[in-house]
Every structure is written in structure tokens, then in C-alpha cells.
Amino acid sequence: MDTPKPHLLAALICERVLQEKDGSLSVIRIADKVIYEVPEEAPEGARPVFSLAGLLVLKSGLAKGTYSVKLVANSPSGKQQELPPTAVSLEGEDQGQNVILNLHLGLKEDGLYWFDVIFENDVLTRIPLSVERVQKQKSEKK
């Protein structure tokens, strides 16, 4: 028998997620694109590390028990990297769990990344993140 899958209320990348004492969430600056500058004097291949947050909001539906959820990053060139899994406890019906992920991404390529949301061994959805570099202009001295 197939593992029952939860309902996915939200799957996104953002700057920050705030969780109040009552469990309410606030999402700060949803990000589907990041643009970074590289100073002209930076060494060739210099790339920043992006500190972002991921948010997955799951509602149990028929799923009851403890399950594994993880993200798999797919680079523009097709390379994959699994992020560590997170255990989620689902109690059925409208009960659920919020998964807040701290993402420190050292992305080695520009272009479109896809983050697969994997529940057990099934892809629930994909989250896009576009990475774009702009050259920093030299300031003219007067």
C-alpha cells in the first residue's frame, strides 16, 4: 500500500520565517530570485553564500505517524545535492506541522535552481530559485 501523503499548504524560500508563541507564522520577503554583486576586484569565481529560510507547511490528511521530509537542490547544470532530512509527526485530519529550514546556500552556478520537496520517497512539489550575478560598477573619483 502506498504511504498516504499530507497536503502541502505552503512550500517557499524566503528571507526569514517568524513563529509566534501561538504557532502563527509570518513570512518575510518571499524569494524566487536572488541577485548578487561581485566587486570588480574580486577574485575570479568568487561567489557569496546566501542565508535564506525555507518553509514547508504540511497538513496531515490521511497521513498519521512520523515521516521524513527533505529538500533536494537541483542546479542549472543538473547536479543534485540532498539537504539533511527532517522528521515530521503527523496526527491525521487537519493537524499538521510547520517545517522551518535554515538554508546556507553556497550556489556555484548562476541560473535556475529547483528544490524538490521529498516526503518519504515521493516528490510533493518543486520550489524555484533563480540566481543572477551583476557586475558592480567602479565608482568614478572626482
Side-chain angles (χ1 to χ4, degrees), residues 121-138:
N121 293 314
D122 296 318
V123 176
L124 290 181
T125 194
R126 304 183 91 196
I127 306 167
L129 180 67
S130 180
V131 177
E132 183 179 317
R133 173 188 170 163
V134 294
Q135 190 71 34
K136 187 170 184 171
Q137 301 297 319
K138 272 189 178 178

Side-chain angles (χ1 to χ4, degrees), residues 12-139:
L12 53 91
I13 295 173
C14 58
E15 188 176 296
R16 251 180 11 167
V17 177
L18 305 175
Q19 188 163 18
E20 304 299 327
K21 291 179 184 178
D22 68 357
S24 298
L25 296 175
S26 294
V27 176
I28 311 300
R29 295 179 57 112
I30 295 173
D32 62 356
K33 184 176 196 175
V34 291
I35 298 172
Y36 68 96
E37 281 187 345
V38 175
E40 236 179 59
E41 60 276 359
E44 184 65 33
R47 303 193 55 89
V49 173
F50 300 101
S51 292
L52 298 167
L55 174 64
L56 306 175
V57 179
L58 303 168
K59 294 295 180 184
S60 299
L62 297 175
K64 290 183 180 179
T66 301
Y67 300 94
S68 174
V69 175
K70 67 182 173 188
L71 293 183
V72 175
N74 297 276
S75 74
S77 64
K79 295 177 186 168
Q80 288 190 329
Q81 181 179 353
E82 285 189 18
L83 283 70
T86 299
V88 294
S89 295
L90 302 174
E91 298 175 8
E93 300 298 322
D94 67 339
Q95 302 298 311
Q97 187 167 346
N98 301 325
V99 179
I100 300 170
L101 304 163
N102 293 315
L103 304 173
H104 302 288
L105 306 172
L107 304 176
K108 297 182 185 343
E109 304 173 44
D110 292 345
L112 181 60
Y113 286 78
W114 286 97
F115 292 84
D116 296 334
V117 178
I118 311 290
F119 178 80
E120 291 297 302
N121 293 314
D122 296 318
V123 176
L124 290 181
T125 194
R126 304 183 91 196
I127 306 167
L129 180 67
S130 180
V131 177
E132 183 179 317
R133 173 188 170 163
V134 294
Q135 190 71 34
K136 187 170 184 171
Q137 301 297 319
K138 272 189 178 178
S139 58

